[in-house]
Amino acid sequence: MQRLQMTIILAILLACFATSKGFAEGYALRAGPASVGNGGPNPLGLPPQATDLELGFWTASGFEMGLGIPCLCIGGRMVKKWGGYLSLGGAMVVDSSGAGPGVYYAFGIERPSGTIRWGLEYKAAVGIGARGLLQPYSLRASLAFWRG
């Protein structure tokens, strides 16, 4: 099962890198534990498990996509010149009680170091599943690859 998850993540990452230069502004690989309603986040595994990773993709116009726990999200990103950003949008929320539709928000910072940027991000989602309210969150460090 874990190999299947990693294969899916790598396939999506390759598909993102294959997009045209004019469309993609940046890609991020984020690593950090997610809290999915089971008593708080666990420490980051070394090497990280598939559930500790998230892939992100965004455009210069502010469109953003993310794949990982706590959600599969699609939304908008508002960026400040100093590197801070706020993201809002719709999501398929995932936690220990199941999955369901909902919304997410994220805020973070990405600082330049050539074409690679490092960053930190806090992401939370709220959704409705079969067993009730879903409220996962994550705090992750990232490496972002810039094309813009």
Side-chain angles (χ1 to χ4, degrees), residues 48-109:
Q49 301 294 315
T51 56
D52 292 339
L53 299 175
E54 179 182 19
L55 297 173
F57 164 79
W58 61 93
T59 68
S61 65
F63 175 75
E64 175 182 63
M65 290 175 40
L67 174 64
I69 305 289
C71 61
L72 168 61
C73 54
I74 297 175
R77 175 185 269 216
M78 296 157 276
V79 181
K80 293 294 186 182
K81 288 184 180 182
W82 52 270
Y85 63 89
L86 173 67
S87 300
L88 302 166
M92 177 56 70
V93 181
V94 179
D95 81 357
S96 61
S97 298
V103 296
Y104 81 98
Y105 69 91
F107 58 88
I109 186 169

Side-chain angles (χ1 to χ4, degrees), residues 1 3 13 19 28 34 50 56 70 74 76 80 90-91 112 114 117 119 125 129 138 145-146:
M1 183 66 177
R3 282 188 181 173
L13 184 62
T19 60
I74 297 175
K80 293 294 186 182
R117 296 180 175 222
S138 64
F145 303 93
W146 223 253

